[in-house]
């Protein structure tokens, strides 16, 4: 939510500040806990961005401070768990970490019409348009004004992600914008695929989603802005069942 800043909620008058940093301890402890429970697919709607203002600073497993968290990613590999993560919302050319990690399936964001979500400088889906880094997202899924369940009457982010912004207060539904919405959509399809074929490995499930994704006229090719395209639930599940 870096691009959303602060604001005033139109219903409650509450003031909202820019979303603060996530706790990596809690973030990765939760991921490891889910793997312990036997989860086959995990979504992580969060991450850490590179800091381009610091020369040579790149968030990733080359940073010794992140070594404990990278061991969690190794653990997921041992348990054959799929981790999907949001690419981030700063309209940069490199996805957030862990979305850009090769062991993780990074998901960037689209508009409702399938184009890459961008609301201007510093506010939009992180992608892989920094081709030199070769850290491209794996998939793209809706990020702009996604209608979803939310905690009723709960303060959130004014405007782009709030339970009241559908005009109905306290109904538990609202619109949310950000790649935090994209990643769970892709992860949900992975969950359907692995439910349809519980014996499918991570790579086999990924291949099904990749090969049935819609990337327009470039279907079957990975691009820097859209990865392998928008995962297609119906086609992916049919392929997982081995049906046409």
């Amino acid at each position: 939510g870096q691009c959303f800043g602060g604001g005033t909620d139109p219903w409650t008058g509450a003031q909202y500040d820019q979303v603060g940093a996530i706790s990596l301890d809690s973030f990765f402890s939760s991921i490891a806990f889910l793997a312990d429970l036997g989860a086959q697919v995990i979504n992580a709607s969060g991450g850490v961005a590179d800091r381009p203002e610091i020369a040579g600073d790149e968030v990733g497993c080359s940073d010794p401070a992140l070594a404990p968290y990278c061991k969690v990613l190794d653990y997921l590999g041992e348990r054959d768990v799929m981790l999907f993560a949001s690419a981030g919302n700063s309209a940069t050319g490199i996805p957030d970490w862990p979305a850009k990690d090769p062991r993780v399936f990074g998901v960037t964001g689209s508009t409702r019409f399938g184009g890459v979500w961008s609301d201007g400088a510093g506010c939009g889906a992180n992608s892989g348009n920094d081709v030199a880094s070769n850290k491209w997202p794996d998939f793209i899924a809706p990020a702009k004004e996604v209608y979803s369940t939310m905690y009723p009457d709960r303060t959130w982010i004014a405007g782009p992600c709030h339970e009241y912004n559908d005009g109905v207060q306290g109904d538990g539904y609202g619109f949310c914008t950000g790649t935090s919405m994209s990643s769970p959509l892709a992860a949900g399809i992975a969950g359907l695929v692995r439910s349809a074929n519980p014996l499918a490995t991570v790579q086999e499930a990924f291949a099904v989603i990749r090969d049935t994704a819609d990337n327009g006229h470039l279907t079957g090719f990975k691009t820097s802005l859209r990865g392998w395209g928008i995962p297609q639930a119906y086609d992916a599940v049919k392929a997982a069942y081995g049906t046409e």
Side-chain angles (χ1 to χ4, degrees):
Q2 295 95 323
C3 65
F4 300 134
T8 303
D9 177 72
W11 290 82
T12 65
Q15 297 296 310
Y16 296 86
D17 296 322
Q18 183 168 329
V19 177
I22 63 172
S23 164
L24 287 180
D25 285 352
S26 297
F27 192 70
F28 279 92
S29 293
S30 299
I31 292 171
F33 177 67
L34 290 171
D36 285 341
L37 292 179
Q40 289 188 307
V41 180
I42 298 173
N43 173 68
S45 285
V48 184
D50 288 347
R51 293 168 292 179
E53 70 277 8
I54 302 177
D57 180 82
E58 181 180 339
V59 176
C61 287
S62 59
D63 183 347
L66 298 179
Y69 312 121
C70 293
K71 289 182 178 179
V72 173
L73 299 182
D74 291 335
Y75 179 57
L76 298 184
E78 295 169 4
R79 298 294 296 262
D80 207 37
V81 177
M82 301 182 81
L83 176 63
F84 288 77
S86 301
N89 308 322
S90 301
T92 67
I94 300 179
D96 288 355
W97 184 83
K100 67 181 181 180
D101 189 282
R103 294 163 291 187
V104 178
F105 300 100
V107 187
T108 188
S110 74
T111 66
R112 65 183 63 182
F113 305 107
V116 177
W117 163 52
S118 176
D119 285 339
C123 188
N126 293 352
S127 63
N129 56 30
D130 180 4
V131 178
S133 72
N134 197 31
K135 293 181 173 64
W136 297 0
D138 291 285
F139 298 106
I140 185 170
K144 179 71 173 179
E145 296 175 347
V146 178
Y147 197 55
S148 180
T149 53
M150 297 187 184
Y151 290 112
D153 296 313
R154 184 77 176 268
T155 56
W156 201 248
I157 304 171
C161 190
H162 199 282
E163 193 265 345
Y164 303 160
N165 64 13
D166 62 348
V168 182
Q169 182 178 1
D171 67 339
Y173 292 87
F175 292 98
C176 190
T177 293
T179 58
S180 286
M181 308 305 290
S182 311
S183 183
L185 288 168
I189 292 175
L192 293 174
V193 167
R194 297 197 86 176
S195 294
N197 183 358
L199 297 180
T201 65
V202 165
Q203 289 306 314
E204 289 170 342
F206 164 64
V208 165
I209 302 167
R210 176 197 65 201
D211 294 345
T212 55
D214 180 4
N215 213 1
H217 65 285
L218 293 174
T219 294
F221 295 89
K222 189 177 185 182
T223 67
S224 59
L225 293 177
R226 302 171 57 85
W228 293 102
I230 300 176
Q232 303 295 304
Y234 182 67
D235 293 337
V237 171
K238 282 201 304 180
Y241 278 129
T243 60
E244 295 296 333

